[in-house]
Amino acid sequence: DAGVIQSPRHEVTEMGQEVTLRCKPISGHNSLFWYRQTMMRGLELLIYFNNNVPIDDSGMPEDRFSAKMPNASFSTLKIQPSEPRDSAVYFCASSLARRLHNEQFFGPGTRLTVL
Amino acid sequence: AQSVSQHNHHVILSEAASLELGCNYSYGGTVNLFWYVQYPGQHLQLLLKYFSGDPLVKGIKGFEAEFIKSKFSFNLRKPSVQWSDTAEYFCAVLIAGNMLTFGGGTRLMVKP
């Protein structure tokens, strides 16, 4: 199993540009999570999906952020327009939801730098 | 709302020293508990987890953690740390559904 796959691994862009981060969860997993990690705020849950449906997006910072999961094997996190304060490492994680036994597996992350 | 507290933000140890990282959570019901490790520049990896049964759980790389329900704690321990244990350690709690609540993390630096 390749684990959770994220692309790109690094992204450098200019303020105002659109950024799209991609995630492929582990095959068979039915839950997907997007996290943001910064020095100041640590690890924050942005949104999570269960069976491709967004369940909780209360962590999404603003309307500039949007996430989709068109099918069980793909999700995107989009920032439009991007701002320097969006610079962070964005992690995707997936799990197989079985009542309480839900271990999350993390992807390698996308390091985003907005200039 | 539930919360997870990691008391030590930064820990510096010499090799072969013993390690204990504190983790407390605020929730009175059934919980699942996790410790994740993040090596420099890498993603989070699971060290160990507690779902039920023996409250002393053993993980990879010689780490263990003890769930003490009366203290709402799940402290991480290792008897003798190595330089390669330098990383950030996150405690996390799963209460219901799929959402993990993470602690703020503890940065461990092991001096050779």
Side-chain angles (χ1 to χ4, degrees):
Chain A
D1 194 332
V4 177
I5 299 172
Q6 290 187 248
S7 65
R9 294 293 306 277
H10 301 273
E11 176 81 29
V12 180
T13 190
E14 293 187 340
M15 182 173 64
Q17 297 298 306
E18 177 181 296
V19 174
T20 300
L21 312 181
R22 297 174 177 80
C23 176
K24 176 177 167 49
I26 292 173
S27 177
H29 281 189
N30 57 2
S31 294
L32 184 140
F33 307 79
W34 282 102
Y35 291 90
R36 178 173 67 176
Q37 186 179 38
T38 61
M39 288 290 291
M40 293 296 293
R41 300 173 69 93
L43 200 61
E44 304 172 276
L45 177 66
L46 300 178
I47 185 171
Y48 91 90
F49 295 84
N50 199 34
N51 294 319
N52 311 340
V53 175
I55 302 300
D56 188 332
D57 65 354
S58 58
M60 295 285 263
E62 349 180 340
D63 291 345
R64 299 184 295 107
F65 285 70
S66 62
K68 294 181 180 179
M69 191 164 187
N71 57 61
S73 59
F74 183 66
S75 176
T76 59
L77 177 68
K78 186 176 292 187
I79 309 172
Q80 166 63 19
S82 58
E83 297 182 2
R85 60 193 168 119
D86 301 331
S87 297
V89 181
Y90 291 81
F91 289 102
C92 177
S94 71
S95 73
L96 177 61
R98 292 175 297 194
R99 297 182 66 187
L100 286 181
H101 293 193
N102 301 328
E103 175 185 338
Q104 292 186 18
F105 294 82
F106 282 77
T110 295
R111 183 173 294 276
L112 173 65
T113 303
V114 183
L115 303 174
Chain B
Q2 63 275 9
S3 66
V4 181
S5 299
Q6 292 182 240
H7 318 295
N8 314 102
H9 298 295
H10 292 89
V11 174
I12 301 174
L13 295 173
S14 298
E15 274 194 317
S18 64
L19 170 72
E20 181 160 1
L21 302 182
C23 173
N24 286 88
Y25 62 93
S26 61
Y27 182 73
T30 301
V31 294
N32 292 165
L33 299 154
F34 304 81
W35 275 97
Y36 282 87
V37 61
Q38 186 177 26
Y39 297 104
Q42 296 190 27
H43 61 284
L44 276 77
Q45 302 171 48
L46 185 68
L47 261 184
L48 49 77
K49 60 192 176 190
Y50 171 79
F51 289 157
S52 63
D54 188 345
L56 183 63
V57 293
K58 295 190 182 300
I60 61 172
K61 304 185 180 186
F63 286 90
E64 65 178 30
E66 184 173 14
F67 171 51
I68 303 179
K69 190 174 182 179
S70 60
K71 295 185 178 180
F72 300 92
S73 70
F74 190 56
N75 292 355
L76 180 71
R77 300 194 293 248
K78 184 170 183 177
S80 175
V81 295
Q82 301 171 314
W83 176 78
S84 58
D85 293 324
T86 294
E88 189 161 13
Y89 294 81
F90 293 91
C91 180
V93 173
L94 181 70
I95 292 172
N98 289 327
M99 290 177 63
L100 278 177
T101 299
F102 282 90
T106 298
R107 287 183 182 271
L108 171 66
M109 178 183 293
V110 180
K111 299 185 293 184

